[in-house]
Amino acid sequence: MTNASDQTLADLSEGEVLARIFPRLPHADTELLGPGDDAAVLAAADGRFVVTCDMMIQGPDFRLAWSTPHDLGWKAAATNLSDVAAMGARPTALVVAIAAPPSTPISVILGIADGLRDGCEALAPGCGVVGGDLSASDALTLSITAFGDLEGRSPVLRSGARPGDVVAHAGRLGEAGIGLGLLFRFGVDADGVPSRAAADALKLREPRFVEAQLAPVPPIRLGTVAAAAGATAMLDVSDGLAIDAGRLARASGVGVDFDSAELGDQRELALGGGEDHGLLATFPPDVTLPAGFRRLGTVTGESGIVLVDGEPHTQGGWDPYRGWDGATT
């Protein structure tokens, strides 16, 4: 008989897998009806809610030699919670769909569930997993839909920045990019193939940067704080500060001018590194920045242009169609 810890998805029915997952997942404070029916039922006292979705696919988004199942669950929660926070909303619930090869050990799926639980509890207490789906695929894939409550406030859009506003950022900046560079350089074997042993050794040497990449800790609670403080525009920095600032600039019909002195010693990594999932926001010039945000520059009247010290900056960052080498291991 196969031990429970050695079972794969092919050894179990979908119902049996779900029966093991559900007890590991957090309930949402807004949950009126959770997993088990055709859909969940959530309370929305504001009458409005925000919703977003994101995918993580083995290969372009993660390597199993580097990320533990817990890392994957945590990061899937963090990246979606950050998008909700960037709208000025409080995350309330996640719906999770997982597709995996039938040979995947059940322990991997349970580890992902544990990461989702711990990510929600640490980053957005009260947010829970209220449903989802399981399917088969050649590549392990996580698809998350996240919901958030505006709590009576208007959403903070990318399109509200005005010339003269202060540009500010909350969270880490460039550290996930450093971590990814370290993994590709030192988290590989002699043939350049991602290696679990090499990655584990690297985590011991450079835990701050590697964890920033594999299990980011974005400032989720500061999304509602920024909204209450009068943020005029905001977005989650997922693809790099420069490229995401360009999105905000184009949406608002303004420019963004960064002060290089505020970007730190690793300026290009601060501008081009992605996946820190900090919050980039603009505030009126007379507003005191909320604790946790630091000034990075100003909003200009030059539509859609990103500047550094008044000079145009070539926008770099992550693009899933250009940044993946095709490898999945």
Side-chain angles (χ1 to χ4, degrees):
M1 179 178 292
T2 304
N3 292 329
S5 60
D6 296 329
Q7 289 178 315
T8 68
L9 296 181
D11 296 323
L12 302 166
S13 68
E14 181 181 12
E16 290 171 324
V17 174
L18 291 173
R20 297 192 187 185
I21 292 174
F22 287 159
R24 309 175 95 93
L25 296 175
H27 290 279
D29 287 349
T30 56
E31 180 182 307
L32 300 177
L33 178 67
D37 219 297
D38 289 307
V41 180
L42 306 176
D46 180 71
R48 302 171 300 168
F49 61 89
V50 302
V51 60
T52 184
C53 68
D54 193 56
M55 297 178 70
M56 288 174 50
I57 301 174
Q58 181 183 347
D61 296 311
F62 64 86
R63 304 294 171 85
L64 290 174
W66 293 342
S67 296
T68 67
H70 189 277
D71 289 339
L72 296 178
W74 178 289
K75 189 168 184 176
T79 55
N80 283 272
L81 296 172
S82 186
D83 281 334
V84 170
M87 300 297 293
R90 178 179 60 84
T92 55
L94 304 179
V95 176
V96 180
I98 299 176
S103 60
T104 302
I106 183 63
S107 59
V108 170
I109 306 302
L110 299 182
I112 291 171
D114 290 345
L116 287 163
R117 178 197 64 222
D118 293 344
C120 286
E121 291 178 350
L123 301 173
C127 179
V129 178
V130 298
D133 191 26
L134 289 173
S135 188
S137 172
D138 290 337
L140 178 59
T141 301
L142 286 74
S143 179
I144 313 292
T145 301
F147 300 86
D149 186 356
L150 289 165
E151 301 178 315
R153 294 179 298 272
S154 295
V156 183
L157 309 180
R158 298 180 180 187
S159 55
R162 299 166 297 206
D165 282 353
V166 172
V167 178
H169 178 268
R172 297 179 175 184
L173 195 56
E175 294 188 5
I178 294 173
L180 186 61
L182 289 171
L183 283 164
F184 273 111
R185 184 178 180 185
F186 299 112
V188 295
D189 62 19
D191 297 318
V193 177
S195 161
R196 173 57 58 86
D200 287 345
L202 180 60
K203 289 176 186 178
L204 294 176
R205 298 198 307 272
E206 298 285 358
R208 180 180 180 89
F209 298 123
V210 176
E211 289 173 10
Q213 167 59 219
L214 301 181
V217 184
I220 305 302
R221 68 172 187 84
L222 292 183
T224 56
V225 170
T232 55
M234 185 159 54
L235 82 170
D236 157 65
V237 181
S238 56
D239 296 330
L241 183 64
I243 196 170
D244 286 324
R247 290 167 175 156
L248 185 150
R250 289 189 295 275
S252 295
V254 299
V256 171
D257 190 359
F258 289 115
D259 181 348
S260 63
E262 302 295 337
L263 296 175
D265 296 334
Q266 306 258 14
R267 190 185 88 169
E268 291 308 311
L269 278 169
L271 288 165
E275 298 193 284
D276 285 306
H277 297 286
L279 296 174
L280 180 67
T282 58
F283 295 88
D286 58 347
V287 167
T288 299
L289 292 182
F293 279 88
R294 63 186 180 96
R295 180 189 177 280
L296 292 184
T298 56
V299 176
T300 74
E302 300 175 83
S303 180
I305 297 177
V306 175
L307 307 169
V308 178
D309 297 335
E311 297 295 326
H313 178 79
T314 302
Q315 297 175 24
W318 167 249
D319 183 324
Y321 296 103
R322 297 178 181 175
W324 179 37
D325 62 5
T328 59
T329 56

